[in-house]
Amino acid sequence: MMGIMASEETRTTNPTTVRSPVRAADESPVPTRAWTARLIVLGIVLAALNLRPAITSLGALLQEVRDGLGMSGSMAGLLTSVPPLCFALFGVTAPRLARRFGAGAVVCAGMVAITAGLLIRPYAGSTPAFLAATALALMGIAVSNVLMPVIVKRWFPDRVGSMTGLYSMALALGTSAAAAVTVPMTDALGGNWQTGLAVWAALAAAAVLPWLPFVRDRRVPGAEERAAGGGDAPARGGAAGDDEALARGDAATREDAPARQGAPAHGGASGRAGAAARKDARRRAETPALRITRSRTAWALAVFFGLQATAAYITMGWMAQIFRDAGVPASTAGLLLAVTMVMGVPLAFVIPRVATRLPHQGPIALVLGVCGLAGYAGLYFAPAAGAWAWAVLLGISNCAFPLALTMVGMRARTGAGVAQLSAFAQSTGYLISIPGPLLVGVLYQHSGGWGLPIALMTALMIPQMAVGVLAGRNRTVEDEAAR
């Protein structure tokens, strides 16, 4: 797709430059490899920016939403568990959708779903309709969540750490921005909570645009480079051939038909190389799926993902209330939550880069866990006196999310393996995280204070550290599943 024309026009088995008459006659302009890569980067950043505002903007205006819709306290509590529930239910469908339609098309559709959900839900008029529109937006978030590591692995196989860091940094920026600016932006727009929620649909609509050129494209760069250039491609493309098999499926069989019938694909050696690459893609597409549940590393990563998600949703849903109950003003409590979220912006870029340079990522999981334990201890003993310090420590601890995403890309050798591991870890993990925010609310209501909820959060951090060490070991799910 990217730059393959030039390669196929000039590559022959002898030094003489020979142009393929078929290709010369079809000299339509196409994007260069660098331009396409930049578009993918822009798409990843904009998509990541939209993966949390649907949640954190609602949290900032939850009281106004409850008043406007007549929503009960129990229904409002259910809202805090809807995101992980939707992520678990819809995220598992992402790999199958990517095989059928292509990862780019699925992410584009996900951004459309987010746009529609955010635009519809403020004007739904009833609690059930509000929940349904929220679920629509969360469905788009769920499939995009799962496919982001797959897209990073496909297009940037030699820069998984840096690209995951960029994606995670954008995600953290979107999360913190929605938490910090939704209320003042609502005030600036007239104080209507419906407008304050609907305005985030504009950002989601912008994220649709970079993915439009990839809606009909199921190919990936690594396979095309092999078709055009032969032996150099594996060094650049890594596991991209497996990604092509994942994304193209039966298309490989159809595209191979001209080669089987004796028609030149593009002429000369490049045509034979293209036919060989397509046959290889077809062979890989017929490879059976991994038995991912047989991998201990996959289970460790799923539990790690679930426990860090539990901590993150408890933080997003309840931390501001903890500070307010300790005597911190409401406006300051909102800023403290924004500080916790914004800590992920720089660290989400640094942590994946460091993680990919280490043979074992367990020590990073331990450091993040220790920061979380220190933050919870501060909330218990002196929530108001050291509020800013506890916000920073908990923000560092919440950076277990980009670490989990990085380990998803590192614990599988192939693109197909990454897709399966990402879907399994995120879907299982989000199921694990569903009860956490609800249980914190129940303990808070029945105990009348934050002692028991903070004790629960502290207790959950211990197994998170343990499974983080197990998930960080240098092994792959393909090897474990084959045993």
Side-chain angles (χ1 to χ4, degrees):
M1 182 180 74
M2 305 168 300
I4 188 172
M5 286 186 175
S7 297
E8 289 180 349
E9 287 177 357
T10 58
R11 271 191 180 272
T12 63
T13 54
N14 56 66
T16 305
T17 300
V18 179
R19 290 184 175 269
S20 165
V22 175
R23 182 64 66 177
D26 184 28
E27 199 74 46
S28 56
V30 296
T32 64
R33 181 180 292 108
W35 185 87
T36 307
R38 293 190 189 101
L39 193 60
I40 285 287
V41 171
L42 178 62
I44 289 173
V45 170
L46 286 176
L49 284 172
N50 281 281
L51 295 183
R52 293 298 179 270
I55 303 168
T56 52
S57 64
L58 176 60
L61 295 173
L62 184 57
Q63 187 59 54
E64 289 79 3
V65 172
R66 289 181 58 190
D67 294 341
L69 296 177
M71 190 182 296
S72 66
S74 59
M75 189 60 70
L78 177 63
L79 272 176
T80 63
S81 290
V82 166
L85 177 62
C86 288
F87 294 165
L89 292 178
F90 298 124
V92 73
T93 66
R96 180 175 298 179
L97 292 172
R99 284 193 296 269
R100 182 175 178 86
F101 302 107
V106 177
V107 173
C108 185
M111 295 299 110
V112 172
I114 295 171
T115 304
L118 292 181
L119 195 59
I120 293 170
R121 74 174 180 178
Y123 307 103
S126 67
T127 297
F130 187 91
L131 285 172
T134 299
L136 175 62
L138 293 171
M139 178 177 64
I141 294 172
V143 294
S144 302
N145 262 340
V146 171
L147 291 179
M148 282 295 107
V150 179
I151 290 172
V152 167
K153 182 83 168 183
R154 286 180 182 178
W155 288 91
F156 308 99
D158 55 344
R159 288 185 284 165
V160 170
S162 59
M163 290 306 302
T164 301
L166 179 63
Y167 153 69
S168 301
M169 184 172 66
L171 188 149
L173 182 60
T175 305
S176 57
V181 308
T182 295
V183 172
M185 184 168 58
T186 301
D187 293 337
L189 293 173
N192 189 323
W193 65 268
Q194 294 171 311
T195 306
L197 289 181
V199 73
W200 291 102
L203 181 62
V208 175
L209 302 179
W211 294 103
L212 290 176
F214 306 100
V215 165
R216 299 178 60 86
D217 183 14
R218 301 182 184 182
R219 295 172 295 175
V220 293
E224 291 178 347
E225 288 174 353
R226 283 196 299 274
D232 294 339
R236 296 188 302 267
D242 303 284
D243 299 329
E244 180 177 3
L246 171 71
R248 294 172 67 181
D250 293 338
T253 304
R254 293 193 300 271
E255 291 176 7
D256 196 33
R260 290 198 307 271
Q261 295 168 0
H266 297 297
S270 63
R272 290 191 296 273
R278 288 189 290 273
K279 289 178 181 178
D280 179 68
R282 182 179 61 183
R283 177 182 60 80
R284 292 177 183 272
E286 295 170 355
T287 302
L290 286 174
R291 296 181 179 178
I292 198 75
T293 55
R294 299 180 62 177
S295 169
R296 294 182 179 180
T297 297
W299 279 108
L301 194 50
V303 176
F304 179 74
F305 199 99
L307 292 175
Q308 68 81 28
T310 300
Y313 286 110
I314 290 174
T315 299
M316 284 188 283
W318 294 107
M319 196 180 80
Q321 190 64 52
I322 294 175
F323 285 127
R324 293 181 67 175
D325 288 351
V328 176
S331 58
T332 304
L335 287 176
L336 287 166
L337 178 59
V339 166
T340 299
M341 298 295 103
V342 84
M343 287 300 300
V345 176
L347 292 179
F349 189 74
V350 172
I351 288 175
R353 293 175 66 88
V354 174
T356 55
R357 287 167 169 78
L358 296 177
H360 193 310
Q361 290 75 45
I364 302 178
L366 291 176
V367 170
L368 298 179
V370 168
C371 290
L373 292 175
Y376 293 144
L379 288 180
Y380 185 86
F381 291 107
W388 295 100
W390 318 142
V392 169
L393 286 170
L394 292 174
I396 296 173
S397 179
N398 278 348
C399 288
F401 177 72
L403 175 62
L405 290 182
T406 304
M407 289 194 291
V408 165
M410 298 180 69
R411 297 287 87 87
R413 281 199 309 270
T414 66
V418 171
Q420 281 189 263
L421 180 57
S422 180
F424 175 75
Q426 294 200 43
S427 296
T428 305
Y430 283 126
L431 281 175
I432 292 171
S433 70
I434 290 171
L438 283 176
L439 186 55
V440 166
V442 170
L443 291 175
Y444 172 57
Q445 181 178 349
H446 284 80
S447 67
W450 287 104
L452 285 179
I454 292 174
L456 172 65
M457 291 184 271
T458 303
L460 291 176
M461 188 59 68
I462 304 299
Q464 177 181 320
M465 295 165 67
V467 293
V469 171
L470 295 177
R473 294 175 298 176
N474 188 15
R475 55 192 65 190
T476 63
V477 295
E478 288 91 347
D479 293 338
E480 292 183 342
R483 293 174 186 170

